[in-house]
Amino acid sequence: MIDPYYLQQLVIGLSLGMTYALMAIGFTLIFGVLNVVNFAHGEVYTIGAFASLVLITAFAPPFFLVVLFALLVGALAGFSLERIAFKPFRRFTDEASLKSRAMREATLMSSLAVSIIVRELIELVFGSQQQQVPFEYLINDPIHVGPVVITTGDVIIFVVSVAMLVGLQFLLTRTHVGLSIRAVSNNPLGARYVGINVDRTIIMTFVIGGMMGAAAGILVGLYYGVIFPAMGFVPGIKAFVAMVMGGLSSIPGAVICAIILGLSESIAVTFISSGWADIVAYSFLILTLIFFPQGLFGAKRERV
Amino acid sequence: MMKLKTAIAAGVLAALGATGASAQDKICIGYQLPLTGDTAQYGQGFRNAAEIQLEKFNASGKLPVPVEIIYEDSRSDAKEGVTIARKFVDNPCIVGVLGDFTSTVSMAAAQVYSRAGMPQLSQTASHPDYTKISEWQFRNITTQNQEGPYNADWMTELGIKKVAVIAEQTDWGQSVVAGFTKQFEADSGEVVFSEYFNRGLKDFRSVITKIQRSEPDAVYTGYFYEDGANFLRQMKQLGVEIPVFSTSAAYNPALINLGGDAVNGMKLTVTFLPTSDAENVKEFVSEYESRYGEAPGQFPAQAFDAVGIMLDAIVASYPDVTREKVRDALAATKDYPGVTGVTTFDENREPAKELTKAEVIDGAFVGIE
Amino acid sequence: MSDPVSRPAMPQAGRSLMSRVLPLVGALLVFALIPALLAHFGKGYFYQIANLALIFVLLAASLHVVTGVAGLLHLGHAAFYGVGAYTAGLLASHFDTTFVLTIPAAAVVTAAIAFLVALPTMRLVSIYFAVATLAIGQMIYLVLLNWVSFTNGPNGVLLFGGLSVFGIDLSSPTATYFVVALVVVASLVVIHRISHSYYGNALRSLREDDQCADAMGVRTVAMKMQAFVISAAFAGVAGALWAHTTGYIAPPDFDFAESILILSMIVVGGLGSLPGAIIGALLLILLPEFLRPLGDVRNIMVGCVLFFSILLLPRGLFGEVSALALVRRQLGDAWTTDAKGRGVGWR
């Protein structure tokens, strides 16, 4: 029989991985389409958490309204982010510019600049300290399952992640919007030729990605009770790593890799000190890249 | 490129024109602290407390000339900290410097101050080597060489034999573990677990589970209040009921706001308790609350005293206030009656503070014994 | 479009005199005008800013080799800066090694570590490479932070005593400035010769299309690895300079945010452009200092400047095409022409 200690660590790793996965879903969606690193996704996550926190403190609405509000804010944040940091760089539509690395890195930089401005603004308004979250909203009441302890939040986050994942797969494979998103992702120029409105599709992607990011922000914020301006940074890096391990464009792949990251961190704590735990996650990444240069679940695609 | 360099040269000239006009009819103190960035909340607290102290001082008429504090934002970045240090050294009006917040920045800046001969008093730098850099470095925070043994003895008195130690992976966390472990083992206790976590870790559950497995009688923790609140909440969530002890750095009213019931029962040492009956503490706390709408934590109180100590040193060296005389006056500080207790600098420019035992009972810090 | 070979040759006339202007002005500026200005005002503050700016110019220029010229997005550069700083710091604090030796030692150790981590990762392309360098950077950072017995962990490393070379004390501000300027300028000259030469062109061909370059006989993996190692070596030199001028180093100086700062410098300045890297470094070091009077909102302003500069000049403040033209006109010693006077490329 497995030692309950290891069972508990596995459960912790799983729930940690789910929190990374929540972030990785939106991140991968945006990346898969535009092929740019979006440094501001962590800020969408933060905005979602802060906006919902303001709503909670002001009106104390029921939980599902908070999540709905986060989705709304996320949609708005995704939309504005696209308009401000990405749209201006699509004014060059010739093929050379589309392929140009400098262009791509310009959006990397503009999203970074937007993320700096947003974070500094939040810091200016709310201060950089951890915000106080009303206890009745926290989703971390323990539930005892046999020898291990999970929390209400684990269940909620699991359900939401699965819903997101299934919903997104449905959207991408069964709907017109999803079809155009995949078309733009595959070949923006070709998509334009067959009459897809590329601009609107990209906005759509950012809106959906933003919604997922903001929902992740408030859920993870309420799960740990930790909301502060720089909260998006670490999950952002983890989501980035999970996305690449999963093969860039595969959302289920990113989710699985996020869970692998979470598990490896919590298992690592058993054998080495907590300070070193991250090194295991990064070694995993390097090993993956060496043996699976296109990521674990990467479809065959043209080199990017 | 040419144009840019010319522009820079012009900027340099302009900046010089601005700073060159400092008059001798006032005395300045430099304060380097993080006002932006991830640690801004601490710097903001320092500035809040320093303003109160300074206004009180200037209104008291102890000196015929006004004293001014010049704040510079270091972002807790060593690059900026060193640059600010140079800037302060260049300013003839400045006779003493307070800060920085983190040891990394304080140490880097201290290299400048020690060479230039500028007294530096940090309210929080806890690096063991900080005051060893030169005779110009002072600090107003209890070192873990004092606090660790005090806690070790306390725990031994309570009959605790096996302790798990966990601290943040910073110079301060290192000194927490070292200071405590040495004395606790000398008291024939056993440290069964000793680990560091990276500051700002969100998920402590793996570590808590691991601590639980080592079956200690108590956990001794070196964290600031934010990490502390998370740690304690997750302990409660996992149903781990091991008594927790901590240091004065965890003391902050926000700990209870963030941690809720999970914080109850935590024991810690403090040098500052806002519920204290002392007159100066009451005055400081009510002033701070009325201005900023929240009770001050440990760190603003440290800053309040650091400013007070510096001002007293300036008074002692008046009328001929030079950096050397301020340093000597600082070194001679004896029994300064601050809100964080009575402060005296020893020959190594370290403070000896009175520590008080406290416990969180029903959502309030209560002094015990 | 940035291919220098297809450009018409520069007129030969006046090149002997006019083409010398830029290096001369640059040298005068760095070694005479700025120190004279600094010495005149005697302000340690400006010396400090000048030193810091020079160190970051070198960091940006070194990243320029791998990210700008060879086109490999590198997200862990600060870690190599840290390795250099720790090499110098540990040598100086444990063995009293002089500054003259720690600089090359830092370069060698950093290059060696870069070589080791490059071995398995250099076959990766584009974003896979970027995330691999991110992971490598984070791992090196974690080692600096957690390997307490070797690096002294979060306690950092203290270097006592100022700079001195062969017993001559160089710790005065002017002397320190000259030492830093000399090392940085010498490194810049090397980086200039690397990036503006046939070798640099080969690196650029990797960036434009590495499969094509491979087909043309360029050894892509070996070239990438060389670019990566060279760039790391110069970052190591910059780290040693930082360690010696500051006297205290600790892991937070070399975290991910620092990598992003260096990357921002070269992107804002113009990817692939060495003058751009220099301008970007100067901008991002000097701007926050000069915005100090704005108080708590200064970083928002820095973000805004970053945003608008990239919005209005997406190819950088000093784009690659104009940079190459300038470099060839002003520093084009190695630019050769054929019998008919047509430019044929770098020697």
Side-chain angles (χ1 to χ4, degrees), chain B residues 31-34 38-43 46 74 76 98-106 122-126 141 168 199 224 299:
Chain B
Y31 206 144
Q32 57 174 103
L33 69 182
D38 296 350
T39 49
Q41 70 269 37
Y42 295 101
F46 296 158
S74 70
S76 287
L98 297 159
D100 200 285
F101 169 58
T102 64
S103 293
T104 307
V105 185
S106 304
S122 173
Q123 68 290 314
T124 42
S126 47
I141 186 166
E168 60 175 43
R199 189 145 183 218
F224 287 13
F299 288 138

PDB file of all heavy atoms in Angstrom, chain B residues 31-34 38-43 46 74 76 98-106 122-126 141 168 199 224 299:
ATOM      1  N   TYR B  31      17.374  59.219   2.669  1.00  0.00           N
ATOM      2  CA  TYR B  31      16.678  57.972   3.008  1.00  0.00           C
ATOM      3  C   TYR B  31      16.512  57.179   1.717  1.00  0.00           C
ATOM      4  O   TYR B  31      15.767  57.580   0.837  1.00  0.00           O
ATOM      5  CB  TYR B  31      15.318  58.265   3.638  1.00  0.00           C
ATOM      6  CG  TYR B  31      14.814  57.154   4.552  1.00  0.00           C
ATOM      7  CD1 TYR B  31      14.090  57.449   5.702  1.00  0.00           C
ATOM      8  CD2 TYR B  31      15.084  55.825   4.270  1.00  0.00           C
ATOM      9  CE1 TYR B  31      13.648  56.442   6.551  1.00  0.00           C
ATOM     10  CE2 TYR B  31      14.641  54.825   5.111  1.00  0.00           C
ATOM     11  CZ  TYR B  31      13.922  55.135   6.259  1.00  0.00           C
ATOM     12  OH  TYR B  31      13.491  54.135   7.085  1.00  0.00           O
ATOM     13  N   GLN B  32      17.236  56.089   1.555  1.00  0.00           N
ATOM     14  CA  GLN B  32      17.042  55.260   0.373  1.00  0.00           C
ATOM     15  C   GLN B  32      16.175  54.067   0.724  1.00  0.00           C
ATOM     16  O   GLN B  32      16.406  53.371   1.694  1.00  0.00           O
ATOM     17  CB  GLN B  32      18.367  54.832  -0.256  1.00  0.00           C
ATOM     18  CG  GLN B  32      19.326  54.079   0.625  1.00  0.00           C
ATOM     19  CD  GLN B  32      20.518  53.596  -0.184  1.00  0.00           C
ATOM     20  OE1 GLN B  32      21.592  54.153  -0.129  1.00  0.00           O
ATOM     21  NE2 GLN B  32      20.325  52.538  -0.954  1.00  0.00           N
ATOM     22  N   LEU B  33      15.124  53.871  -0.061  1.00  0.00           N
ATOM     23  CA  LEU B  33      14.126  52.864   0.282  1.00  0.00           C
ATOM     24  C   LEU B  33      13.322  52.493  -0.959  1.00  0.00           C
ATOM     25  O   LEU B  33      13.288  53.267  -1.914  1.00  0.00           O
ATOM     26  CB  LEU B  33      13.214  53.388   1.387  1.00  0.00           C
ATOM     27  CG  LEU B  33      12.230  54.516   1.105  1.00  0.00           C
ATOM     28  CD1 LEU B  33      11.487  54.876   2.372  1.00  0.00           C
ATOM     29  CD2 LEU B  33      12.852  55.777   0.577  1.00  0.00           C
ATOM     30  N   PRO B  34      12.726  51.304  -0.991  1.00  0.00           N
ATOM     31  CA  PRO B  34      11.944  50.940  -2.181  1.00  0.00           C
ATOM     32  C   PRO B  34      10.558  51.580  -2.145  1.00  0.00           C
ATOM     33  O   PRO B  34       9.753  51.229  -1.296  1.00  0.00           O
ATOM     34  CB  PRO B  34      11.835  49.417  -2.076  1.00  0.00           C
ATOM     35  CG  PRO B  34      11.962  49.121  -0.627  1.00  0.00           C
ATOM     36  CD  PRO B  34      12.794  50.197  -0.020  1.00  0.00           C
ATOM     37  N   ASP B  38       8.316  45.380  -6.179  1.00  0.00           N
ATOM     38  CA  ASP B  38       7.659  44.341  -5.385  1.00  0.00           C
ATOM     39  C   ASP B  38       7.691  44.591  -3.892  1.00  0.00           C
ATOM     40  O   ASP B  38       6.889  44.054  -3.144  1.00  0.00           O
ATOM     41  CB  ASP B  38       8.334  42.984  -5.650  1.00  0.00           C
ATOM     42  CG  ASP B  38       8.165  42.555  -7.085  1.00  0.00           C
ATOM     43  OD1 ASP B  38       7.383  43.208  -7.787  1.00  0.00           O
ATOM     44  OD2 ASP B  38       8.815  41.578  -7.483  1.00  0.00           O
ATOM     45  N   THR B  39       8.662  45.354  -3.405  1.00  0.00           N
ATOM     46  CA  THR B  39       8.769  45.552  -1.965  1.00  0.00           C
ATOM     47  C   THR B  39       8.333  46.954  -1.566  1.00  0.00           C
ATOM     48  O   THR B  39       8.643  47.419  -0.482  1.00  0.00           O
ATOM     49  CB  THR B  39      10.211  45.311  -1.485  1.00  0.00           C
ATOM     50  OG1 THR B  39      11.083  46.049  -2.335  1.00  0.00           O
ATOM     51  CG2 THR B  39      10.575  43.854  -1.543  1.00  0.00           C
ATOM     52  N   ALA B  40       7.601  47.622  -2.453  1.00  0.00           N
ATOM     53  CA  ALA B  40       7.235  49.015  -2.209  1.00  0.00           C
ATOM     54  C   ALA B  40       6.451  49.185  -0.915  1.00  0.00           C
ATOM     55  O   ALA B  40       6.575  50.212  -0.255  1.00  0.00           O
ATOM     56  CB  ALA B  40       6.439  49.562  -3.384  1.00  0.00           C
ATOM     57  N   GLN B  41       5.646  48.174  -0.539  1.00  0.00           N
ATOM     58  CA  GLN B  41       4.830  48.366   0.668  1.00  0.00           C
ATOM     59  C   GLN B  41       5.695  48.652   1.886  1.00  0.00           C
ATOM     60  O   GLN B  41       5.313  49.430   2.751  1.00  0.00           O
ATOM     61  CB  GLN B  41       3.910  47.158   0.908  1.00  0.00           C
ATOM     62  CG  GLN B  41       4.581  45.879   1.330  1.00  0.00           C
ATOM     63  CD  GLN B  41       4.942  45.001   0.135  1.00  0.00           C
ATOM     64  OE1 GLN B  41       5.330  45.502  -0.923  1.00  0.00           O
ATOM     65  NE2 GLN B  41       4.853  43.696   0.292  1.00  0.00           N
ATOM     66  N   TYR B  42       6.898  48.033   1.940  1.00  0.00           N
ATOM     67  CA  TYR B  42       7.774  48.266   3.083  1.00  0.00           C
ATOM     68  C   TYR B  42       8.330  49.687   3.044  1.00  0.00           C
ATOM     69  O   TYR B  42       8.329  50.395   4.041  1.00  0.00           O
ATOM     70  CB  TYR B  42       8.906  47.236   3.094  1.00  0.00           C
ATOM     71  CG  TYR B  42       8.394  45.827   3.304  1.00  0.00           C
ATOM     72  CD1 TYR B  42       8.247  44.950   2.233  1.00  0.00           C
ATOM     73  CD2 TYR B  42       8.042  45.387   4.568  1.00  0.00           C
ATOM     74  CE1 TYR B  42       7.760  43.662   2.425  1.00  0.00           C
ATOM     75  CE2 TYR B  42       7.558  44.109   4.769  1.00  0.00           C
ATOM     76  CZ  TYR B  42       7.415  43.249   3.694  1.00  0.00           C
ATOM     77  OH  TYR B  42       6.925  41.979   3.885  1.00  0.00           O
ATOM     78  N   GLY B  43       8.793  50.090   1.855  1.00  0.00           N
ATOM     79  CA  GLY B  43       9.347  51.435   1.722  1.00  0.00           C
ATOM     80  C   GLY B  43       8.312  52.497   2.024  1.00  0.00           C
ATOM     81  O   GLY B  43       8.600  53.503   2.682  1.00  0.00           O
ATOM     82  N   PHE B  46       8.019  52.823   5.665  1.00  0.00           N
ATOM     83  CA  PHE B  46       9.149  53.567   6.245  1.00  0.00           C
ATOM     84  C   PHE B  46       8.916  55.062   6.079  1.00  0.00           C
ATOM     85  O   PHE B  46       9.143  55.844   6.980  1.00  0.00           O
ATOM     86  CB  PHE B  46      10.467  53.219   5.536  1.00  0.00           C
ATOM     87  CG  PHE B  46      10.882  51.783   5.692  1.00  0.00           C
ATOM     88  CD1 PHE B  46      11.751  51.204   4.772  1.00  0.00           C
ATOM     89  CD2 PHE B  46      10.428  51.030   6.752  1.00  0.00           C
ATOM     90  CE1 PHE B  46      12.142  49.888   4.907  1.00  0.00           C
ATOM     91  CE2 PHE B  46      10.813  49.705   6.893  1.00  0.00           C
ATOM     92  CZ  PHE B  46      11.671  49.131   5.962  1.00  0.00           C
ATOM     93  N   SER B  74      14.789  53.096  -4.435  1.00  0.00           N
ATOM     94  CA  SER B  74      15.809  52.160  -4.927  1.00  0.00           C
ATOM     95  C   SER B  74      15.191  50.927  -5.579  1.00  0.00           C
ATOM     96  O   SER B  74      15.915  50.101  -6.120  1.00  0.00           O
ATOM     97  CB  SER B  74      16.699  51.704  -3.783  1.00  0.00           C
ATOM     98  OG  SER B  74      15.954  50.859  -2.939  1.00  0.00           O
ATOM     99  N   SER B  76      14.529  48.268  -4.440  1.00  0.00           N
ATOM    100  CA  SER B  76      15.237  47.074  -3.962  1.00  0.00           C
ATOM    101  C   SER B  76      16.157  46.503  -5.036  1.00  0.00           C
ATOM    102  O   SER B  76      16.313  45.303  -5.166  1.00  0.00           O
ATOM    103  CB  SER B  76      14.259  45.990  -3.492  1.00  0.00           C
ATOM    104  OG  SER B  76      13.703  46.368  -2.275  1.00  0.00           O
ATOM    105  N   LEU B  98      19.764  56.890   5.934  1.00  0.00           N
ATOM    106  CA  LEU B  98      18.957  55.793   6.459  1.00  0.00           C
ATOM    107  C   LEU B  98      18.667  54.822   5.326  1.00  0.00           C
ATOM    108  O   LEU B  98      18.489  55.222   4.186  1.00  0.00           O
ATOM    109  CB  LEU B  98      17.648  56.336   7.020  1.00  0.00           C
ATOM    110  CG  LEU B  98      17.788  57.280   8.212  1.00  0.00           C
ATOM    111  CD1 LEU B  98      16.563  58.144   8.356  1.00  0.00           C
ATOM    112  CD2 LEU B  98      18.037  56.497   9.475  1.00  0.00           C
ATOM    113  N   GLY B  99      18.552  53.538   5.668  1.00  0.00           N
ATOM    114  CA  GLY B  99      18.162  52.559   4.656  1.00  0.00           C
ATOM    115  C   GLY B  99      19.342  51.709   4.215  1.00  0.00           C
ATOM    116  O   GLY B  99      20.407  51.805   4.785  1.00  0.00           O
ATOM    117  N   ASP B 100      19.192  50.788   3.309  1.00  0.00           N
ATOM    118  CA  ASP B 100      18.029  50.507   2.510  1.00  0.00           C
ATOM    119  C   ASP B 100      17.184  49.414   3.172  1.00  0.00           C
ATOM    120  O   ASP B 100      17.473  49.024   4.299  1.00  0.00           O
ATOM    121  CB  ASP B 100      18.515  50.063   1.103  1.00  0.00           C
ATOM    122  CG  ASP B 100      17.454  50.195   0.042  1.00  0.00           C
ATOM    123  OD1 ASP B 100      16.543  49.385   0.016  1.00  0.00           O
ATOM    124  OD2 ASP B 100      17.569  51.144  -0.760  1.00  0.00           O
ATOM    125  N   PHE B 101      16.195  48.910   2.462  1.00  0.00           N
ATOM    126  CA  PHE B 101      15.347  47.878   3.048  1.00  0.00           C
ATOM    127  C   PHE B 101      16.016  46.512   3.030  1.00  0.00           C
ATOM    128  O   PHE B 101      16.262  45.907   4.063  1.00  0.00           O
ATOM    129  CB  PHE B 101      14.006  47.835   2.309  1.00  0.00           C
ATOM    130  CG  PHE B 101      13.166  46.641   2.643  1.00  0.00           C
ATOM    131  CD1 PHE B 101      12.797  46.384   3.944  1.00  0.00           C
ATOM    132  CD2 PHE B 101      12.744  45.773   1.656  1.00  0.00           C
ATOM    133  CE1 PHE B 101      12.024  45.273   4.270  1.00  0.00           C
ATOM    134  CE2 PHE B 101      11.971  44.665   1.965  1.00  0.00           C
ATOM    135  CZ  PHE B 101      11.619  44.411   3.263  1.00  0.00           C
ATOM    136  N   THR B 102      16.335  45.976   1.840  1.00  0.00           N
ATOM    137  CA  THR B 102      16.933  44.645   1.787  1.00  0.00           C
ATOM    138  C   THR B 102      18.428  44.737   2.066  1.00  0.00           C
ATOM    139  O   THR B 102      19.060  45.760   1.814  1.00  0.00           O
ATOM    140  CB  THR B 102      16.760  43.986   0.412  1.00  0.00           C
ATOM    141  OG1 THR B 102      17.477  44.766  -0.540  1.00  0.00           O
ATOM    142  CG2 THR B 102      15.316  43.905   0.006  1.00  0.00           C
ATOM    143  N   SER B 103      18.948  43.620   2.554  1.00  0.00           N
ATOM    144  CA  SER B 103      20.375  43.616   2.844  1.00  0.00           C
ATOM    145  C   SER B 103      21.196  43.738   1.585  1.00  0.00           C
ATOM    146  O   SER B 103      22.238  44.380   1.577  1.00  0.00           O
ATOM    147  CB  SER B 103      20.752  42.331   3.569  1.00  0.00           C
ATOM    148  OG  SER B 103      20.177  42.305   4.830  1.00  0.00           O
ATOM    149  N   THR B 104      20.741  43.120   0.498  1.00  0.00           N
ATOM    150  CA  THR B 104      21.516  43.160  -0.744  1.00  0.00           C
ATOM    151  C   THR B 104      21.803  44.600  -1.134  1.00  0.00           C
ATOM    152  O   THR B 104      22.937  44.965  -1.430  1.00  0.00           O
ATOM    153  CB  THR B 104      20.710  42.494  -1.875  1.00  0.00           C
ATOM    154  OG1 THR B 104      20.313  41.218  -1.432  1.00  0.00           O
ATOM    155  CG2 THR B 104      21.547  42.381  -3.122  1.00  0.00           C
ATOM    156  N   VAL B 105      20.786  45.420  -1.135  1.00  0.00           N
ATOM    157  CA  VAL B 105      20.963  46.802  -1.541  1.00  0.00           C
ATOM    158  C   VAL B 105      21.727  47.571  -0.468  1.00  0.00           C
ATOM    159  O   VAL B 105      22.615  48.372  -0.776  1.00  0.00           O
ATOM    160  CB  VAL B 105      19.595  47.443  -1.828  1.00  0.00           C
ATOM    161  CG1 VAL B 105      19.777  48.842  -2.357  1.00  0.00           C
ATOM    162  CG2 VAL B 105      18.816  46.613  -2.818  1.00  0.00           C
ATOM    163  N   SER B 106      21.418  47.311   0.791  1.00  0.00           N
ATOM    164  CA  SER B 106      22.124  48.018   1.865  1.00  0.00           C
ATOM    165  C   SER B 106      23.621  47.726   1.813  1.00  0.00           C
ATOM    166  O   SER B 106      24.441  48.627   1.986  1.00  0.00           O
ATOM    167  CB  SER B 106      21.602  47.577   3.232  1.00  0.00           C
ATOM    168  OG  SER B 106      20.227  47.754   3.318  1.00  0.00           O
ATOM    169  N   SER B 122      20.695  51.466   8.919  1.00  0.00           N
ATOM    170  CA  SER B 122      19.605  50.748   8.270  1.00  0.00           C
ATOM    171  C   SER B 122      18.622  50.274   9.323  1.00  0.00           C
ATOM    172  O   SER B 122      19.024  49.759  10.365  1.00  0.00           O
ATOM    173  CB  SER B 122      20.138  49.553   7.484  1.00  0.00           C
ATOM    174  OG  SER B 122      19.041  48.802   7.017  1.00  0.00           O
ATOM    175  N   GLN B 123      17.346  50.436   9.024  1.00  0.00           N
ATOM    176  CA  GLN B 123      16.329  49.993   9.981  1.00  0.00           C
ATOM    177  C   GLN B 123      16.104  48.494   9.876  1.00  0.00           C
ATOM    178  O   GLN B 123      15.557  47.904  10.788  1.00  0.00           O
ATOM    179  CB  GLN B 123      15.022  50.757   9.770  1.00  0.00           C
ATOM    180  CG  GLN B 123      14.275  50.466   8.469  1.00  0.00           C
ATOM    181  CD  GLN B 123      14.987  51.000   7.247  1.00  0.00           C
ATOM    182  OE1 GLN B 123      15.438  52.136   7.253  1.00  0.00           O
ATOM    183  NE2 GLN B 123      15.133  50.178   6.220  1.00  0.00           N
ATOM    184  N   THR B 124      16.530  47.853   8.770  1.00  0.00           N
ATOM    185  CA  THR B 124      16.192  46.445   8.578  1.00  0.00           C
ATOM    186  C   THR B 124      17.328  45.548   8.104  1.00  0.00           C
ATOM    187  O   THR B 124      17.158  44.337   8.122  1.00  0.00           O
ATOM    188  CB  THR B 124      15.054  46.298   7.551  1.00  0.00           C
ATOM    189  OG1 THR B 124      15.309  47.183   6.486  1.00  0.00           O
ATOM    190  CG2 THR B 124      13.712  46.581   8.162  1.00  0.00           C
ATOM    191  N   ALA B 125      18.454  46.088   7.645  1.00  0.00           N
ATOM    192  CA  ALA B 125      19.482  45.213   7.069  1.00  0.00           C
ATOM    193  C   ALA B 125      19.950  44.220   8.111  1.00  0.00           C
ATOM    194  O   ALA B 125      20.375  44.588   9.194  1.00  0.00           O
ATOM    195  CB  ALA B 125      20.662  46.036   6.578  1.00  0.00           C
ATOM    196  N   SER B 126      19.851  42.941   7.787  1.00  0.00           N
ATOM    197  CA  SER B 126      20.116  41.938   8.806  1.00  0.00           C
ATOM    198  C   SER B 126      21.278  41.040   8.444  1.00  0.00           C
ATOM    199  O   SER B 126      21.540  40.060   9.111  1.00  0.00           O
ATOM    200  CB  SER B 126      18.858  41.100   8.986  1.00  0.00           C
ATOM    201  OG  SER B 126      18.390  40.730   7.718  1.00  0.00           O
ATOM    202  N   ILE B 141      18.013  46.932  14.018  1.00  0.00           N
ATOM    203  CA  ILE B 141      17.124  45.780  14.060  1.00  0.00           C
ATOM    204  C   ILE B 141      17.832  44.707  14.857  1.00  0.00           C
ATOM    205  O   ILE B 141      19.053  44.573  14.774  1.00  0.00           O
ATOM    206  CB  ILE B 141      16.758  45.294  12.636  1.00  0.00           C
ATOM    207  CG1 ILE B 141      15.715  44.188  12.709  1.00  0.00           C
ATOM    208  CG2 ILE B 141      17.981  44.831  11.857  1.00  0.00           C
ATOM    209  CD1 ILE B 141      15.063  43.892  11.381  1.00  0.00           C
ATOM    210  N   GLU B 168      13.009  31.735   4.951  1.00  0.00           N
ATOM    211  CA  GLU B 168      13.118  32.146   3.559  1.00  0.00           C
ATOM    212  C   GLU B 168      14.580  32.123   3.123  1.00  0.00           C
ATOM    213  O   GLU B 168      15.487  32.281   3.936  1.00  0.00           O
ATOM    214  CB  GLU B 168      12.512  33.532   3.354  1.00  0.00           C
ATOM    215  CG  GLU B 168      13.165  34.630   4.172  1.00  0.00           C
ATOM    216  CD  GLU B 168      12.603  35.999   3.845  1.00  0.00           C
ATOM    217  OE1 GLU B 168      11.381  36.120   3.720  1.00  0.00           O
ATOM    218  OE2 GLU B 168      13.396  36.942   3.706  1.00  0.00           O
ATOM    219  N   ARG B 199      11.472  33.169  -1.327  1.00  0.00           N
ATOM    220  CA  ARG B 199      10.539  34.189  -0.864  1.00  0.00           C
ATOM    221  C   ARG B 199       9.377  34.349  -1.844  1.00  0.00           C
ATOM    222  O   ARG B 199       9.567  34.347  -3.047  1.00  0.00           O
ATOM    223  CB  ARG B 199      11.299  35.500  -0.758  1.00  0.00           C
ATOM    224  CG  ARG B 199      10.493  36.522  -0.109  1.00  0.00           C
ATOM    225  CD  ARG B 199      11.348  37.408   0.731  1.00  0.00           C
ATOM    226  NE  ARG B 199      10.421  38.300   1.362  1.00  0.00           N
ATOM    227  CZ  ARG B 199      10.671  39.559   1.563  1.00  0.00           C
ATOM    228  NH1 ARG B 199      11.815  40.052   1.237  1.00  0.00           N
ATOM    229  NH2 ARG B 199       9.766  40.294   2.126  1.00  0.00           N
ATOM    230  N   PHE B 224       8.447  36.754   6.646  1.00  0.00           N
ATOM    231  CA  PHE B 224       7.751  38.021   6.838  1.00  0.00           C
ATOM    232  C   PHE B 224       6.257  37.716   6.830  1.00  0.00           C
ATOM    233  O   PHE B 224       5.842  36.613   6.488  1.00  0.00           O
ATOM    234  CB  PHE B 224       8.111  39.013   5.738  1.00  0.00           C
ATOM    235  CG  PHE B 224       9.496  39.579   5.862  1.00  0.00           C
ATOM    236  CD1 PHE B 224      10.422  39.011   6.728  1.00  0.00           C
ATOM    237  CD2 PHE B 224       9.890  40.681   5.125  1.00  0.00           C
ATOM    238  CE1 PHE B 224      11.697  39.515   6.846  1.00  0.00           C
ATOM    239  CE2 PHE B 224      11.169  41.192   5.244  1.00  0.00           C
ATOM    240  CZ  PHE B 224      12.079  40.619   6.099  1.00  0.00           C
ATOM    241  N   PHE B 299       8.017  46.962  10.904  1.00  0.00           N
ATOM    242  CA  PHE B 299       9.010  47.692  10.114  1.00  0.00           C
ATOM    243  C   PHE B 299       8.832  49.207  10.145  1.00  0.00           C
ATOM    244  O   PHE B 299       9.808  49.928  10.313  1.00  0.00           O
ATOM    245  CB  PHE B 299       9.045  47.151   8.687  1.00  0.00           C
ATOM    246  CG  PHE B 299       9.677  45.794   8.611  1.00  0.00           C
ATOM    247  CD1 PHE B 299       9.152  44.803   7.817  1.00  0.00           C
ATOM    248  CD2 PHE B 299      10.808  45.509   9.354  1.00  0.00           C
ATOM    249  CE1 PHE B 299       9.740  43.547   7.756  1.00  0.00           C
ATOM    250  CE2 PHE B 299      11.411  44.264   9.306  1.00  0.00           C
ATOM    251  CZ  PHE B 299      10.869  43.272   8.504  1.00  0.00           C
TER     252      PHE B 299
END
